[in-house]
Amino acid sequence: MYSEVMVRTYFFILYFSQTISCLDTPVRLVGGATEYEGRLEIYYNETWGTVCDDDIDDKLSAVVCRSLGLPWVVSEVFCCARYGKGSGPIWLDNVNCVGTEARIEDCGHNAWGSHNCHHNEDVSIGCYPAKDMTKLVGGQTMYEGRLEVRHNGSWGTVCDDDWNKQNTDVVCTSHGFSPEGAVIVHGQPFGPGTGHILMDDVRCWGNESSILQCQHSGWGNHNCEHSKDVSINCTSHKNITTRIVGGPSPYEGRVEVYRNGYWGTLCSDLWNSTDASVVCRSLGYAWQNASGTCCSLYERMSGPDHCVKVRCNGLEDGLNQCDQTDAKNSYCWQYDVSVKCLSDILQILEFKSSSLVFREGASAWFDLQIQSNAAYQIRWFHNEDLITSSSTRYRITSFEHENGTSSHTLQVNNVLLRDKGDWKIKVINLEKYATRNLTIKVIPRLVLEMKPKYDFSIPSGDDIHLQCTINNPESLLNVTQGGLILKKDETTISDVSHSNFTIIWSTSSGTKDDSGRYTCIHSGYPEFVFVSVDVTVLQPEQKRCEGQISDGISWNTTLAGNTKYEHCPANQRGMASRKCRTSGLWESPSLINCTTEVFINASTQLDGIIEDGIRNTEKIRETVSSTLQMMKNLTSSTNQISAGDLSSSLDIFEKIVHVSNSTGSHIEKKAFYDVIDNVLSTNNTKSWTTVSKKTEKDASSLLSSMERLSEVVIQNDNITSTQFTGSNFELSIDNRKIDETGIRFPDVASTNDSENVEERSTYLELPKQEAKVEKAINYVAVIYKTMSEIMPSDCKRDQKGEKQEDTFKEEEFVNSQILSLTTQSDLGVLVPPLNLTFRHIQNNKPAEMQVLCVSWNFTDSEWTEEGCKVNHSDHETTVCQCNHLTNFAILMRPYSPEAEDEQSLKTMSLVGVILSVTFTAITLLIYILTWKNIKSEQNIIMLNLCGSLILAYVIFISAVEQTSNKGVCIAITATLHYLFLVTFFSMLGMGVYYFMSITVTYYAMYVANNFKSKSRGHWFLLGIWGIPVLITVTSLGAFWGENNYHLKSYCWLSMESGSLYAFIVPVCVIAILNLLVIVSLVRVLCASSAMTKSSLQKKAISGLRSLGTLLPVLGVTWLFGILAVNENADVFQYIFVITNSFQGIFIFVSHVLLNRKVMQGLKNKYPAFSSLISIAEHSKKETSSISRDTSTSATNVHLIKIKKRSIFDGLRRLTTTIKNIEEKDFESLVTEKTISTDCSLSVSHEKTLVESQNTSKLEPEAGKASTERRFRFSINLNPWTKRYRVAQM
């Protein structure tokens, strides 16, 4: 409802900001162009008044902005009634704020009403929600003015060079105004600006949300004077701004509107109370009984009359929505119109809660009923802390009723103990101020404690003693029934002794039957609260770990293979654990979950501030300061911080930085740095190792906290130079105009100590930058001296997130101190680059170790080489150059046999790919040259296969390592994915053609005949190029927005993320299908008579030749690539590289050199190749005996005599047959020889199947009867007669 009221009172913002704080002394900003700026007024003694500008500074603006609850990032204070002179009393003078106060009255000041000022000295405040903003200055209304922009803390003007209508429209729409009629105003009607000219040559497209997003010549780059400052008027005939003037109060007077650049009155014709109600409602005043009069009831305006008649129906939100009529020909100038609105009504009808007593964990609500006829604001408070929208526990809703009342509800979903106390509501409008409060009580949740607390084991015969106790009897308030009950495995134990708050069960001799789970509950408590413990009675034959004391903890006897849990040592809270191995030996105790109690309390306090959205800066400052002082005392008083306290410290650092960033609260930086220095001590190395192994935290989280804090510190333009020198890190905060002077840190020349330069040889140098800057920029430089031992390198993690200790040997390590540089504004790509000199912690021989210059990537939580390179390296130092800013170090990577293997594989792959691409390209070229002779659908598929394979390999070689640009790398990955899929689907098309042309022809010629009855090439091409599109787009969409679509070092699909499976699965399916095709082809060939009569040696040779022909084009060799995904499968990696290297060669040999039609085409087109082709053909010929079969059957069928050829030669001819089979009249099945196959079939006579010359059907030819059950299947591939004969044998 609140937001709806604010929209309805849109025009009211010009005069009275609706942003009012509801602390004990409310303040507001009045007269500004936005709710974030205006004249400061304070409500005291039931009257609004102003503040004098004597002795003011920006600390006052910070206090005011904070008390208003505005989302401010930058605050400013202005003197001299910048937003107009106020009226009424001047309440405060000589206001002196520290900057951390929650309210203005907490600042030092003269007595209320004591001053020596006039209203031309009224203070104005700006609370800006962003560093860069725009505003219109100098106009009489919010719709017009000189355009000013804010950048890097300074306001400046905009030059009108090349200014266009799109620029004007963007300015007006960004301020919430309609671009209709918006114009640039020339002649400086709002006065020239002063100070910087920040933008020039502005170019907008019209769809930007702010002028700051448009192109321009660069911040501060211009060739203009202030006489060319841009001025804008966003008003039109539909933009009417209304005001009431000349009356005894703000609620009555003459009506004036701002239209077309000036204020004027309206025509009194037709003016009535309905029109008056619209005026009152648009200004946020009571409007139900508004009255409208004419005839200059109040002092008449001396200015112009707009001569416009307005007619409203009463439902409009402003006069701009009413009908407007030009009345220039009327005598409207004689009479002005006036209105009278009622005074504000503000009444709290009811404020209640769902109860005054809540149980912890329950839900609660507070309901407020208000009656008001004007704009108002509501503030909710808990124990004087303002509840804001940043709270994660509270939800505020509003609803407006038709009868003029409204309901507002605050919902608390999970009541905590800290929610007890005073809840208050404050409502304020321009005249009235109302408040109500309630006090609630929170009953704590029932806490049961079992002793022993954790599961335990005892030897058979030992006594068992269990005791369940209610720790907080106050939790049983209003619980009148029930009591404690002890159960064993869901069975209630009856022989117990108990009192009001305790129940006890014991036995003097435990047996096996006593083993089980014991649970304690309270039968009358409204919620199910329980505590349980497992008891195991050990038998003599069971292995166990005997009881012992370790790390101050008594570890009782535990069954082998179980984990024992116990209380943490004294002064610590949490749970310690220890594993009893199956061998009966204890592992070392794990105390990672044991934390000192004060750390837990401090963390809980910070959680409360974050969850409740508290903005009380004084309370936050006290909490943070006490927390840092406590941590400083504890971390400096112990030789080693425990792993649990270290883990908790990292959490607290993150919470402190979060609170500081979100609330603008002040942090004692010196105390913060002292704690950081203590935590980084080398004495804590063992604890850092434990935290890194057992949790998801490591030293990088500390880097992140320092980085975030630095970003906040350097945003203040008035920073003072700060130096911190600790035992474990150094820090410098300063500013520098980097286009004039560079940055060096640590500055060795400025140190007066006698330290050896060698000890300070790790440093960074940012040279003077080419890019021009307007002013000095703030920076924070840090050197971490001891973090190299605790920072992670490229360690792998198992599925549970714990680093693998036994199976993974860490190879890379950080071998330098860590340098960091953060600047106030992003410098982009550094020109010239940042120079970093690192002294090695361990001196290594360059031949043994590879040096990597790296920076820490906070997004991926890992070191990255992106943007950095090694400039020089020896066994002692390394010099790096980086083109960006962050945290830097060097990594050492040992040269290993694995790396050499990787390099050899990479070299072999490169050579093999070049060979494959070369021969595939030759094949493609020859096919194109001889296309007239070999044109067929199968060869079309072959052309697509070769083309996609060449494109994929060329892109792979040239672009697979282009990972610097993320978007480009994603495009390369998707393109490679698509082209390789096209290649494999082409291979699948080849396999289908082989299968239909050989296997199906052998077993079912009528099916093959039907398949070839019409062209299906377009369907094959659609599948070859279309299906990969679907797979590629789907996988890209599934991983869109993820950082792991491709590998980190290569532009190819990632196995870790699972995107690689979008390639592996289709390839496996295609390879398996083609493998089945090969098996079917080999089976057909093995059934031929030529094969059956060949020797075993010739069968083997022919089979190998056949596989050498089929495997490259059917992609089966890529199965080795799938097996090579496992990095340990070196054999498969080498096999895959070798077979794929010869893929192009095999394609060339089998489909060019051994293809008679291709060779004949080359011979015909290029006679010069005839001798070479003849030699190739001669080498393919093989002499063989003629197969003769004699039949003793009565049919006396004449058998055809053929030469015995190798199976390889037969396969070549079958391949030729397949390539020609797609011709419409089936002439592709014609060759000069006959392939014979022996098989058994139950037939009684010979049938010859003759294909008609004009059709593609197969017709039977009658033969002679026979009683033989053995037959010869002959395909007589005569070029003139198509005959398929089944001859009896």
Side-chain angles (χ1 to χ4, degrees), residues 526-573:
E527 298 179 39
F528 181 67
V529 178
F530 72 96
V531 60
S532 60
V533 62
D534 268 332
V535 178
T536 302
V537 179
L538 299 175
Q539 303 306 304
E541 66 276 8
Q542 290 180 296
K543 277 191 176 182
R544 70 200 69 183
C545 293
E546 300 297 338
Q548 61 177 234
I549 297 177
S550 176
D551 294 305
I553 302 173
S554 177
W555 302 96
N556 295 327
T557 302
T558 301
L559 181 64
N562 288 356
T563 299
K564 177 64 176 172
Y565 298 95
E566 288 292 350
H567 292 281
C568 289
N571 299 324
Q572 290 189 324
R573 285 165 54 184

Side-chain angles (χ1 to χ4, degrees), residues 1144-1163:
I1145 299 175
F1146 286 147
I1147 290 176
F1148 173 74
V1149 172
S1150 60
H1151 290 78
V1152 175
L1153 294 183
L1154 299 181
N1155 190 317
R1156 178 166 298 185
K1157 279 201 169 187
V1158 174
M1159 301 302 289
Q1160 187 62 40
L1162 278 176
K1163 183 176 181 180

Side-chain angles (χ1 to χ4, degrees), residues 17 26 127 192 267 321 658 669 677 688 726 757 763 789 809 875 903 964 978 1070 1075 1082 1238:
S17 170
C127 305
C267 184
Q321 299 177 7
H658 173 78
K669 294 190 291 294
D677 192 58
W688 276 108
V757 175
Y763 59 93
E789 298 182 19
K809 181 180 178 180
H875 71 286
Q903 184 61 39
S964 57
Y978 175 68
I1070 292 173
L1075 184 62
V1082 173
D1238 289 339

Side-chain angles (χ1 to χ4, degrees), residues 127-336:
C127 305
Y128 303 112
K131 291 185 292 184
D132 296 342
M133 298 179 60
T134 66
K135 64 181 179 180
L136 298 177
V137 179
Q140 297 188 57
T141 71
M142 70 180 73
Y143 295 108
E144 61 181 354
R146 182 179 61 255
L147 176 61
E148 293 191 0
V149 298
R150 179 184 175 88
H151 179 68
N152 280 346
S154 299
W155 286 99
T157 60
V158 180
C159 182
D160 64 6
D161 288 347
D162 298 326
W163 191 267
N164 56 31
K165 182 63 166 60
Q166 288 87 345
N167 298 359
T168 304
D169 291 348
V170 169
V171 172
C172 292
T173 55
S174 68
H175 285 259
F177 308 142
S178 171
E180 178 187 359
V183 294
I184 182 173
V185 183
H186 299 284
Q188 299 296 324
F190 311 113
T194 59
H196 301 292
I197 298 176
L198 293 178
M199 300 177 73
D200 191 12
D201 299 320
V202 180
R203 178 76 177 181
C204 300
W205 298 103
N207 58 356
E208 296 86 353
S209 61
S210 170
I211 194 76
L212 302 174
Q213 298 174 359
C214 300
Q215 299 176 4
H216 56 89
S217 59
W219 293 107
N221 296 329
H222 66 87
N223 57 354
C224 303
E225 302 291 338
H226 279 296
S227 60
K228 301 183 69 177
D229 288 344
V230 170
S231 295
I232 300 290
N233 190 319
C234 298
T235 61
S236 68
H237 70 281
K238 288 295 183 182
N239 290 332
I240 298 180
T241 303
T242 311
R243 70 183 181 184
I244 300 175
V245 296
S249 74
Y251 308 105
E252 60 179 315
R254 181 178 65 255
V255 177
E256 294 183 1
V257 297
Y258 188 84
R259 186 170 183 263
N260 296 331
Y262 60 90
W263 287 101
T265 59
L266 294 173
C267 184
S268 60
D269 290 355
L270 307 178
W271 186 261
N272 56 32
S273 59
T274 303
D275 306 322
S277 67
V278 173
V279 172
C280 294
R281 182 165 60 244
S282 70
L283 294 176
Y285 301 153
W287 52 273
Q288 289 86 349
N289 297 310
S291 60
T293 59
C294 69
C295 312
S296 302
L297 183 63
Y298 302 95
E299 180 183 356
R300 190 175 184 281
M301 180 182 181
S302 59
D305 194 314
H306 283 301
C307 290
V308 173
K309 297 179 182 179
V310 178
R311 184 62 181 266
C312 305
N313 60 25
L315 301 177
E316 298 85 355
D317 291 329
L319 292 180
N320 60 313
Q321 299 177 7
C322 301
D323 293 335
Q324 304 165 28
T325 305
D326 190 357
K328 289 184 178 179
N329 297 326
S330 303
Y331 295 99
C332 62
W333 56 271
Q334 295 179 356
Y335 306 106
D336 295 334

Side-chain angles (χ1 to χ4, degrees), residues 415-434:
V415 175
L416 302 176
L417 289 177
R418 65 173 182 262
D419 291 326
K420 65 182 178 180
D422 187 52
W423 288 80
K424 184 162 56 176
I425 187 73
K426 292 185 178 181
V427 186
I428 289 183
N429 65 11
L430 290 175
E431 286 192 331
K432 300 183 181 298
Y433 176 91

Side-chain angles (χ1 to χ4, degrees), residues 921-1216:
I922 294 173
T923 301
L924 181 64
L925 179 62
I926 292 175
Y927 267 53
I928 294 173
L929 294 175
T930 61
W931 186 245
K932 289 180 64 176
N933 300 82
I934 65 172
K935 184 177 181 181
S936 67
E937 290 185 351
Q938 181 183 348
N939 286 341
I940 291 175
I941 298 177
M942 176 60 72
L943 288 176
N944 283 272
L945 189 157
C946 293
S948 60
L949 188 62
I950 292 170
L951 283 175
Y953 275 148
V954 169
I955 295 176
F956 183 84
I957 292 174
S958 61
V960 74
E961 294 182 347
Q962 303 299 319
T963 57
S964 57
N965 188 303
K966 183 177 179 181
V968 172
C969 190
I970 290 175
I972 293 171
T973 302
T975 303
L976 286 174
H977 186 195
Y978 175 68
L979 289 176
F980 276 122
L981 285 179
V982 169
T983 302
F984 276 95
F985 275 92
S986 299
M987 294 177 181
L988 179 61
M990 295 287 292
V992 172
Y993 258 93
Y994 279 139
F995 182 74
M996 297 302 298
S997 302
I998 299 178
T999 305
V1000 176
T1001 300
Y1002 179 76
Y1003 289 107
M1005 279 184 290
Y1006 67 93
V1007 177
N1009 182 40
N1010 182 59
F1011 177 76
K1012 291 300 178 180
S1013 62
K1014 56 183 177 180
S1015 175
R1016 302 179 189 273
H1018 59 286
W1019 293 111
F1020 275 86
L1021 293 179
L1022 181 62
I1024 287 170
W1025 293 94
I1027 298 176
V1029 170
L1030 298 177
I1031 298 175
T1032 304
V1033 171
T1034 301
S1035 62
L1036 187 61
F1039 291 91
W1040 189 259
E1042 302 288 338
N1043 293 323
N1044 52 3
Y1045 172 64
H1046 58 79
L1047 297 170
K1048 296 170 184 175
S1049 302
Y1050 300 98
C1051 297
W1052 180 238
L1053 303 171
S1054 169
M1055 170 65 78
E1056 181 181 356
S1057 68
S1059 61
L1060 184 60
Y1061 288 106
F1063 178 73
I1064 290 178
V1065 172
V1067 169
C1068 285
V1069 172
I1070 292 173
I1072 292 172
L1073 290 176
N1074 281 346
L1075 184 62
L1076 294 176
V1077 169
I1078 293 175
V1079 171
S1080 70
L1081 296 178
V1082 173
R1083 182 177 178 183
V1084 169
L1085 294 175
C1086 289
S1088 68
S1089 60
M1091 179 65 81
T1092 56
K1093 295 180 180 180
S1094 299
S1095 65
L1096 180 61
Q1097 181 180 1
K1098 289 188 175 181
K1099 289 180 180 179
I1101 294 173
S1102 298
L1104 290 175
R1105 288 176 178 174
S1106 302
L1107 291 176
T1109 302
L1110 294 171
L1111 290 178
V1113 294
L1114 297 186
V1116 177
T1117 55
W1118 276 70
L1119 287 174
F1120 293 114
I1122 305 303
L1123 296 173
V1125 169
N1126 184 355
E1127 295 181 356
N1128 297 321
D1130 295 339
V1131 175
F1132 292 115
Q1133 294 180 27
Y1134 279 99
I1135 293 175
F1136 173 64
V1137 169
I1138 294 171
T1139 54
N1140 262 30
S1141 299
F1142 289 99
Q1143 183 177 21
I1145 299 175
F1146 286 147
I1147 290 176
F1148 173 74
V1149 172
S1150 60
H1151 290 78
V1152 175
L1153 294 183
L1154 299 181
N1155 190 317
R1156 178 166 298 185
K1157 279 201 169 187
V1158 174
M1159 301 302 289
Q1160 187 62 40
L1162 278 176
K1163 183 176 181 180
N1164 294 340
K1165 190 163 186 175
Y1166 302 99
F1169 287 97
S1170 298
S1171 58
L1172 178 62
I1173 295 172
S1174 298
I1175 295 173
E1177 289 182 346
H1178 179 74
S1179 65
K1180 294 184 291 182
K1181 293 182 180 179
E1182 247 186 305
T1183 58
S1184 60
S1185 62
I1186 300 176
S1187 174
R1188 302 177 183 272
D1189 289 317
T1190 306
S1191 175
T1192 58
S1193 156
T1195 59
N1196 197 19
V1197 179
H1198 177 68
L1199 301 177
I1200 301 173
K1201 298 179 181 180
I1202 63 171
K1203 287 186 177 182
K1204 183 178 180 182
R1205 291 175 175 81
S1206 68
I1207 296 304
F1208 177 71
D1209 198 34
L1211 178 60
R1212 182 186 60 75
R1213 288 169 173 76
L1214 281 177
T1215 305
T1216 305

